[in-house]
Amino acid sequence: MSDLTAGRFLQNALHCAGIAAHSDGDGGSDYIAVRVGDHGVIRIGGVIDRAKENEIHYHPSEHQGWAAVYNPDTEDDDSSFTEFYQSTNRDLAQDTAHVVKAIQNIIAGR
């Protein structure tokens, strides 16, 4: 049985795109974090108001969409952030390709 999760699938895709990422989270959520220079972080998790909200460690067949936000202040998790990607695409491969492209665009613009 494979231990591949949707989060691992996303991390693999980010790695293949040359983007360093790691699994992170707190008591209320799990997400993938991508540092953007010295002063920003992108966080990716499951779409809000879906069964997998703020989750990444679930079976790929349970995927219900990625959501991604950019926070300009890595020292303050609660500072203002900008949501730049939200999908309800249940096709993990398609949705992951789209969120990786959106992340590349954010990184290129910073």
Side-chain angles (χ1 to χ4, degrees):
M1 178 167 175
S2 173
D3 59 350
L4 179 70
T5 65
R8 172 55 54 199
F9 187 89
L10 175 57
Q11 281 185 284
N12 291 344
L14 290 165
H15 176 77
C16 287
I19 300 170
H22 66 277
S23 180
D24 205 344
D26 54 35
S29 64
D30 288 319
Y31 51 85
I32 303 294
V34 176
R35 295 284 300 217
V36 181
D38 293 333
H39 302 291
V41 64
I42 292 170
R43 292 184 179 89
I44 312 103
V47 173
I48 295 171
D49 294 330
R50 294 290 204 168
K52 299 300 178 185
E53 176 180 350
N54 296 323
E55 294 183 39
I56 58 171
H57 301 295
Y58 54 84
H59 191 273
S61 66
E62 298 173 335
H63 185 66
Q64 297 183 7
W66 293 124
V69 299
Y70 172 72
N71 184 328
D73 185 354
T74 58
E75 299 300 317
D76 181 6
D77 286 344
D78 294 326
S79 71
S80 63
F81 58 85
T82 303
E83 181 178 66
F84 65 91
Y85 186 85
Q86 181 164 312
S87 171
T88 56
N89 187 343
R90 293 176 183 262
D91 184 310
L92 178 61
Q94 275 184 355
D95 196 28
T96 299
H98 292 152
V99 76
V100 168
K101 183 65 173 168
I103 291 167
Q104 289 172 321
N105 290 340
I106 291 293
I107 292 170
R110 300 289 183 238

